[in-house]
Amino acid sequence: MAWVGYATMAPIDVLAILKYLGPAIPFIFSATDTASGTADLSAAGVAFAVALLGAMVIINAIGVRFLTAINTSLTWFKIAAPVAIAGAIIVTHFDPSNFSSHGFAPQGFDGVMAAVSGGGVVFAFIGFRHVIDLAGEARNPQWTIPIALTGSVVVGTVIYGAMQIAFVGGIPATELSKGWAGLSINHLYGPFAAIAMAIGLPWLMAVIYGSAVISPFSSALVAVGSNARLAMALARSGFFPGFVARLSDRGVPFYGLLVNFAAGAMLVFMLDLPALVALNGAAVVVSFLVGPVALYALRLQIPERPRKMRVPVVRIFSGVCFVLSTYVVYWSGWQTISVLGLTLAAGVVLFLVLRLFGGAEARPALDLSQSYWVAVFLAAMGVISYLGDFGGGTGTIPPGWDLALIAALSCSIFVWAIRSRLSDDRARAKIEEVENAPDAAKD
């Protein structure tokens, strides 16, 4: 699921870039409905998207130092641009009455849940995961990783919060005459560009346009590198062919980059931007569900082993995170969850095929009893989502009861998962396998 979510990341950012480049390079979209940005990519547009993905692969193939140098420069712009946009709108035109003129949360709790899963909130905040993906190449990880993780979330919260405040307060009252549900912004460069023009800030267009192109390019660049390392890990676990785990002379999983490039190119052909965003958020959050379980299980295993980092109140913290992650998956809706189910089924088939017909590296020892909770949990989530009233469900389970069922399910599954963790002896054996492995395998 993590790989599926990551594989959609770069195509999402590339399509976002092309959407903003469309007015300047109209031939990248089909002739119909180009002005709204909802037109399909033309043949030239698909070639342009694939070329962008290829450029990101090349930059990552050069090495992590080169990637870091480029991304650091882009990140400073990514921080400065939204701060400038939000500040300019708030200083120039800010109407506090917009926050209450049509009621607080006019779309109700369902609107909040839809925004969290399919509306891009999860998608906006999950960039912190790249810190974990590239942690193996970090110096002083006991210090740099906690700072990077908390810093990315805090900075993102401040920036995204400021942007939302600027958006709500900056919309002219005349545009809200029909309420938030009737708000229609069809500017070629997006809603903030429309606000900038409406309140007389044409100079801000250059900043908005630059941010709309540079920010997703930077995000996609890091996602391509992160997903290559996931592909390498999957190859070592028997999900992908063994050659995908090989490192280049620069210490980069080059074949993993190529596999992900092929997957990204296919997704550009197959899915549009909203479908990719919904699939990305749900898939990545499903992969997050393992995190709280692993954290608490590792804390309980081999308690005498030295640990450089210790999350406080780990039992409560892990349990709450597991429940909240389950809610986010449910809020993505039955239509998205059903696609995730088909994706998981395809992954199981791929794993079995490689296990039956692959070499010895494709048949690692399986700890099946530790995985039963995953199968039961995902099956139960699928049933509740289908019978629930969110995102295409049948509505058989009344609102409120579905949330209560999910809370009960996630709590019981979490307890089961922790109790079925590997024994201390088995965990020690796993650690020794890594510590005694050749240096190339460790790298």
Side-chain angles (χ1 to χ4, degrees):
M1 282 294 95
W3 183 83
V4 169
Y6 279 37
T8 61
M9 184 71 237
I12 287 171
D13 286 321
V14 166
L15 291 179
I17 293 171
L18 296 187
K19 180 177 180 179
Y20 283 96
L21 289 178
I25 316 176
F27 63 82
I28 63 178
F29 285 103
S30 58
T32 58
D33 202 19
T34 305
S36 67
T38 59
D40 295 330
L41 289 176
S42 64
V46 171
F48 198 93
V50 173
L52 275 176
L53 290 172
M56 296 169 189
V57 169
I58 293 172
I59 292 173
N60 274 275
I62 294 174
V64 72
R65 288 187 178 182
F66 184 63
L67 168 66
T68 302
I70 292 179
N71 189 60
T72 298
S73 301
L74 296 178
T75 298
W76 281 115
F77 179 82
K78 287 173 61 178
I79 293 174
V83 170
I85 294 168
I89 292 175
I90 291 173
V91 171
T92 304
H93 176 84
F94 189 78
D95 188 353
S97 65
N98 287 354
F99 290 85
S100 57
S101 59
H102 296 280
F104 181 75
Q107 303 301 316
F109 191 57
D110 285 353
V112 175
M113 293 188 292
V116 168
S117 296
V121 175
V122 169
F123 178 79
F125 275 94
I126 55 181
F128 72 85
R129 68 197 188 276
H130 299 305
V131 176
I132 303 169
D133 301 326
L134 300 174
E137 297 162 69
R139 297 178 181 177
N140 301 318
Q142 67 270 29
W143 296 104
T144 55
I145 292 176
I147 291 173
L149 283 173
T150 57
S152 64
V153 174
V154 170
V155 172
T157 300
V158 172
I159 291 177
Y160 290 132
M163 293 290 284
Q164 293 302 311
I165 290 172
F167 175 79
V168 174
I171 295 179
T174 54
E175 298 291 334
L176 289 176
S177 59
K178 297 180 181 179
W180 289 100
L183 181 64
S184 178
I185 299 177
N186 294 320
H187 197 281
L188 294 177
Y189 297 126
F192 281 100
I195 293 175
M197 295 301 294
I199 63 178
L201 295 177
W203 62 268
L204 199 58
M205 290 289 295
V207 180
I208 294 172
Y209 188 76
S211 178
V213 174
I214 293 175
S215 293
F217 182 84
S218 175
S219 299
L221 199 61
V222 178
V224 167
S226 292
N227 205 25
R229 284 147 182 87
L230 274 184
M232 179 176 67
L234 285 171
R236 291 178 178 175
S237 301
F239 276 93
F240 284 170
F243 72 87
V244 177
R246 297 175 189 168
L247 298 177
S248 69
D249 293 339
R250 295 179 176 269
V252 174
F254 181 70
Y255 292 105
L257 287 171
L258 293 182
V259 168
N260 296 334
F261 170 74
M266 290 179 58
L267 288 170
V268 168
F269 279 100
M270 295 170 56
L271 298 176
D272 60 12
L273 188 57
L276 282 171
V277 170
L279 180 60
N280 172 276
V284 173
V285 172
V286 167
S287 72
F288 284 174
L289 289 167
V290 181
V293 174
L295 172 62
Y296 191 28
L298 289 168
R299 176 67 63 84
L300 295 176
Q301 286 168 335
I302 321 177
E304 73 278 6
R305 184 175 177 83
R307 287 162 168 79
K308 293 183 178 181
M309 292 180 289
R310 293 179 66 90
V311 176
V313 200
V314 68
R315 178 185 299 180
I316 297 175
F317 182 79
S318 299
V320 170
C321 287
F322 188 84
V323 173
L324 293 179
S325 296
T326 306
Y327 276 134
V328 173
V329 174
Y330 174 69
W331 293 336
S332 65
W334 164 246
Q335 294 176 344
T336 301
I337 290 176
S338 61
V339 173
L340 288 179
L342 294 174
T343 306
L344 274 170
V348 171
V349 171
L350 175 63
F351 177 73
L352 293 176
V353 168
L354 289 173
R355 190 168 180 84
L356 289 173
F357 301 104
E361 71 279 1
R363 294 191 293 272
L366 298 180
D367 299 294
L368 286 177
S369 62
Q370 279 70 42
S371 67
Y372 294 152
W373 69 267
V374 180
V376 173
F377 174 74
L378 293 176
M381 276 294 298
V383 172
I384 296 175
S385 178
Y386 176 73
L387 297 177
D389 67 340
F390 204 84
T394 62
T396 304
I397 302 175
W401 284 99
D402 53 353
L403 301 182
L405 280 174
I406 289 175
L409 171 69
S410 55
C411 288
S412 57
I413 290 291
F414 181 77
V415 173
W416 179 12
I418 295 300
R419 289 183 175 179
S420 63
R421 68 185 182 276
L422 288 176
S423 66
D424 287 3
D425 290 340
R426 185 68 174 142
R428 288 191 183 93
K430 292 283 189 182
I431 294 171
E432 290 174 359
E433 288 178 13
V434 176
E435 291 180 339
N436 296 329
D439 290 340
K442 291 181 184 178
D443 294 340

